[in-house]
Amino acid sequence: QVQVVESGGGLVQPGGSLRLSCAASGNIVTIYVMGWYRQAPGKQRELVATITNSGDATYADSVKGRFTISRDIAKNTVYLQMNSLKVEDTAVYYCNVRVQLMRQYWGQGTQVTVSS
């Protein structure tokens, strides 16, 4: 079993910055992919960014140039640096971790609210 815990969410003004963290623990042999997804009320969950253990990153078009995903392999942790935040970035952000045996785990989510 793997536990996934997000942190770093909060309230920020438009144009501000926030950094999310996600730490995985438990029965982990190898992490293949870690990623961030988000879901706003009444909307479907959408992919924000992913990163492989080789450091290859992908981003949703809506966050390119503003968000940066990174990871610390030794700590089984992934980060999401969010800059130039917009009101439309408001959502619950979820961390996803893919490990051995094609197993995938989700965190509980952390709220990000962008408002004046």
Side-chain angles (χ1 to χ4, degrees):
Q1 192 65 33
V2 174
Q3 294 76 48
V4 180
V5 180
E6 304 101 329
S7 62
L11 176 64
V12 64
Q13 294 184 342
S17 298
L18 210 58
R19 189 177 79 157
L20 306 183
S21 298
C22 170
S25 61
N27 186 23
I28 299 173
V29 177
T30 304
I31 293 179
Y32 293 99
V33 184
M34 302 185 80
W36 290 95
Y37 296 73
R38 67 187 182 186
Q39 186 169 20
K43 295 187 176 182
Q44 295 221 3
R45 182 186 64 195
E46 64 177 355
L47 185 147
V48 177
T50 63
I51 188 167
T52 69
N53 56 9
S54 297
D56 296 323
T58 60
Y59 298 91
D61 289 340
S62 59
V63 306
K64 286 181 179 177
R66 299 188 298 119
F67 291 9
T68 302
I69 189 170
S70 61
R71 86 278 186 248
D72 186 329
I73 296 177
K75 295 181 178 180
N76 291 334
T77 299
V78 64
Y79 306 94
L80 185 68
Q81 178 65 47
M82 304 184 292
N83 298 325
S84 301
L85 282 162
K86 304 175 180 180
V87 173
E88 48 264 45
D89 293 319
T90 296
V92 177
Y93 284 69
Y94 296 93
C95 181
N96 177 267
V97 182
R98 182 173 294 280
V99 299
Q100 70 277 357
L101 302 178
M102 299 181 68
R103 292 174 177 172
Q104 188 171 264
Y105 298 89
W106 291 92
Q108 81 288 348
T110 184
Q111 177 71 48
V112 172
T113 302
V114 185
S115 176
S116 299

